[in-house]
Amino acid sequence: MQTRYILHTTLLTGALLAAGCSDVLTEDPDSYYDRDSFFTTEQKAEMAVLGVYNVLPLIYGEKDGASLPASDDIYYVNGTTADNGRRDVGHYTVRTNNTWVSGVWDGKYNAVNRANYTISGIESMNGWRDNAKLRSLIAEARFLRAQSALDLVRYWGDVPFKTTYTGSYEGAYGPRVPREEIYTQIIEDLDFAKNNLPWADEVGTPERASQGAARALLMRAYLSRAGYSLRADGNLARPDAKTREECFKGVVEEWLAFEEKKYHDFYPGGYEELFKTFSQEVLNTTESIFEVAFLAGKNNGYWGTYMGPAVAAPQISPTESSNYMGRANAMFRVVPEWKGFFEDGDTRRDVMVCTHSHSWDETIRDHKLVEQKNPRNWYPGKWRREWMPKGYIDPNKTDVNFCLLRYADVVLMAAEAYGEIGNTAEAWRLINLVRARAGASEVTSSTYSKIYKAPKVHDLPYIADGDEAGRVRTAIYWERGFELAFEGQRKFDLLRWGVLGDALKLFGEKTDSRINSYPAGKNFVKGKHELLPIPQDELQVNPYLNNTNNPGY
């Protein structure tokens, strides 16, 4: 492993070059003359690819990684005052002019458009088909296009979508494309990526796409495609049985490639140490498969501040900042019952649920840990100021990367797919691999009720568990919560399982009576809030949308 300060020496240089490249991307890049004059060397082709990567931290710094996936059955946005931003999204009072929704919409399309420009530009270079370096750069751009396209479909359903660069006002807009067509393109992009990218190794970085990243994202896309989504008529629907089976088999096929390669695995230091390394800005390529990079020394992310336990602002002079933690505003809270859902020996519990904050003590002129007895002040704990190196540039921001794909997620996706095609024995085996790393007991059908039924957890009336397949589905529900909380996938899981509204209602009704800022279950409207609204500005400027928003908006 290496620290990001070493690896970012290269990436920072690339990012600065890509900043110059962004001028190319905005100055009439649809011109074949401009395109041909830029894409002349491998170095310039790589600059263009880095220009696509540069969009990601603008999205995942605060909006998409933490705020748009809230609220689910595990965490929620603190505070109930309307803000036309994260609170309205998390409390399901979102309107069509929500600034955070618009920001993510713009960011996703910016990434797709840059990827389109880069792909076509490299493909205009002589001999690219016989040049492994150029093919790998195209593969990275196609991975990034697929990643943004997948989120567009998961957040908004049928959306305008193109694989050609848009460089003119007239060509910028188009009609909705059926999500099945977009999924087909996503799969094609990721198939190309996995066949033209190398596997990760000890000297690589998860900040660039690898074969494992392409395969893991393809697994995520297959499961999303197989699941429920809200249609234009306001009903939840999923593909036919044949398509779903093909998707689940596709997941298994990608998993078998991971097993055959035998490189990616659980982080050898344990669950808590894994997340400490994220906060300490240390890269590993074993469990961490793909990360959104925040440039070291630039402090442009909010992992550990917005998402993490509260830390009071240090009362110090600017010259002393290198010796203290910065502040953490702690915009989110944990649904407190989750702390009791874990077994006592499960190391994930005290990483997931942080029950303390840090106040400033003037007598010792330092931060002091304060235990929070009120469960409404329990925080997501996977990223923490206390785990980060002392010192800061901006007291509110950090350099902590966001891990978008990791090995434990891959294992659980494979377990889910095996369960859905009837191989429940293999599903249990994989579930237990994840549990074993966390120090949790082995689960089987005979111990299922002790672990996944009341009084240990909430009974789930929306998942039938009268047979082995249903018990595996219930286990997947809980284990993906235990393992992957706050990592941006829980809401999408509940959506594709068709139970988001049911889960919000159940957990909202059963949570501690002192929690009065978790109104998601009361506000959620089935047939509406499974999708976000298309931004009002987009409806006004894109005539192909016919001023028609998603259902309910």
Side-chain angles (χ1 to χ4, degrees), residues 431-448:
I431 289 169
N432 282 311
L433 288 180
V434 176
R435 289 178 60 81
R437 189 270 290 271
S441 64
E442 183 178 7
V443 61
T444 64
S445 284
S446 61
T447 60
Y448 164 85

Side-chain angles (χ1 to χ4, degrees), residues 371-384:
E371 283 293 335
Q372 295 289 341
K373 299 186 182 300
N374 190 331
R376 69 174 296 169
N377 290 323
W378 290 358
Y379 309 97
K382 287 185 171 178
W383 305 271
R384 309 184 188 190

Side-chain angles (χ1 to χ4, degrees), residues 65-66 69 72-75 271 275 278 303 307 333-335 338-339 342 348-349 351-353 379-383 402-403 406 408-409 412 476-491 493:
D72 55 29
D73 57 345
I74 300 177
Y75 81 114
Y271 192 80
F275 283 93
F278 286 140
W303 298 98
M307 177 62 84
R333 299 291 187 273
V334 177
V335 176
W338 278 86
K339 183 174 175 61
F342 289 89
R348 298 173 295 188
R349 180 189 64 191
V351 176
M352 172 183 171
V353 184
Y379 309 97
K382 287 185 171 178
W383 305 271
F402 175 58
C403 184
R406 66 182 177 94
D409 190 1
L412 288 173
I476 292 292
Y477 180 101
W478 290 110
E479 291 302 327
R480 287 188 66 81
F482 294 150
E483 181 68 30
L484 302 168
F486 327 127
E487 296 182 48
Q489 298 309 309
R490 184 62 172 182
K491 181 187 280 190
D493 287 342

Side-chain angles (χ1 to χ4, degrees), residues 25 38 47 80 94 110 145 187 231 321 352 361 384 399 424 470 523:
L25 295 174
F38 179 78
M47 287 166 56
T80 55
V94 63
N110 188 8
R145 179 170 69 185
I187 292 168
R231 309 296 167 153
S321 63
M352 172 183 171
D361 189 325
R384 309 184 188 190
D399 294 326
T424 55
N523 295 337

Side-chain angles (χ1 to χ4, degrees), residues 338-358:
W338 278 86
K339 183 174 175 61
F341 293 159
F342 289 89
E343 291 181 311
D344 288 340
D346 194 325
T347 59
R348 298 173 295 188
R349 180 189 64 191
D350 295 335
V351 176
M352 172 183 171
V353 184
C354 181
T355 60
H356 65 258
S357 61
H358 293 269

